[in-house]
Amino acid sequence: MLEEEAQRTCTSRRFRDPLTRAHNRRYLEERLASELAYAERHGADLTLAAIDIDYFKRINDGFSHPAGDFVLKKASSMHQPFAAGRGRLRPLWW
């Protein structure tokens, strides 16, 4: 049981951003090929959405890095409810 928990923690650290807990680029790189293959095999649609926070550098520079961290966490938490299984909206990043 302890070993399984350690494995989950290790995987979580590898594939999630420590600040926002959102999936990171490494996760995308490893999952995208399998998601594309699944969509092709099953004739399913696949959508990849990327989100950019306009003028984020201005937030960090003008209001401090803790303020920027708050914005990142808030933006991430707004999108996490959309995470779901196949057949529903499921962002790869979250």
Side-chain angles (χ1 to χ4, degrees):
M1 191 64 136
L2 189 57
E3 189 174 316
E4 290 175 11
E5 180 63 30
Q7 180 66 29
R8 278 194 297 276
T9 299
C10 184
T11 300
S12 179
R13 287 182 182 159
R14 183 170 178 221
F15 291 125
R16 291 193 179 269
D17 176 79
L19 176 68
T20 63
R21 304 299 305 139
H23 284 112
N24 59 23
R25 185 175 137 211
R26 182 179 290 132
Y27 179 83
L28 173 66
E29 290 170 347
E30 292 200 13
R31 284 294 305 268
L32 189 55
S34 67
E35 292 295 329
L36 287 169
Y38 177 91
E40 188 172 321
R41 274 193 320 272
H42 297 279
D45 293 328
L46 178 68
T47 301
L48 176 66
I51 298 167
D52 180 47
I53 301 173
D54 290 337
Y55 309 108
F56 183 72
K57 183 172 176 12
R58 289 185 192 173
I59 295 168
N60 266 348
D61 293 348
F63 297 100
S64 77
H65 287 274
D69 289 352
F70 174 81
V71 169
L72 289 174
K73 287 192 271 186
K74 189 66 171 173
S76 177
S77 70
M78 290 171 60
H79 293 90
Q80 285 177 355
F82 296 106
R86 283 196 167 87
R88 292 178 279 166
L89 182 61
R90 180 175 45 123
L92 289 173
W93 294 99
W94 280 272

